[in-house]
Amino acid sequence: MERKIKLIWDFRGPASQKTAEHHEIHLREYIDSGKLLNRITGTDAFGDMHAVAWMVVDESEMISVRDALRPHRGEVYEG
């Protein structure tokens, strides 16, 4: 089974949660247009001033998605 990678975009400031939620919409659109294997996305808030949007990709897709969308960071997805 191929490893899953969680690509993460950080947003900071008082509108960070709304920005992360909006970014997730675009991540879903990218998944639909790119016919990616995984459809796992989400957002998480860490207080009032920091939120993230994220998506999960197979390791084989990670390089092309990373180069196209330029996430701030990534980690192995344990989900």
Side-chain angles (χ1 to χ4, degrees), residues 28-41:
R28 289 180 186 162
E29 290 170 348
Y30 183 83
I31 289 169
D32 289 342
S33 69
K35 310 282 191 280
L36 298 180
L37 299 175
N38 291 301
R39 303 194 54 80
I40 305 169
T41 65

Side-chain angles (χ1 to χ4, degrees), residues 3-43:
R3 280 196 319 176
K4 308 271 187 243
I5 307 297
K6 183 178 183 180
L7 301 176
I8 303 166
W9 290 262
D10 292 283
F11 301 97
R12 299 190 186 276
S16 60
Q17 181 62 37
K18 290 290 186 187
T19 305
E21 290 168 359
H22 182 78
H23 191 73
E24 184 185 13
I25 292 168
H26 293 294
L27 294 176
R28 289 180 186 162
E29 290 170 348
Y30 183 83
I31 289 169
D32 289 342
S33 69
K35 310 282 191 280
L36 298 180
L37 299 175
N38 291 301
R39 303 194 54 80
I40 305 169
T41 65
T43 62

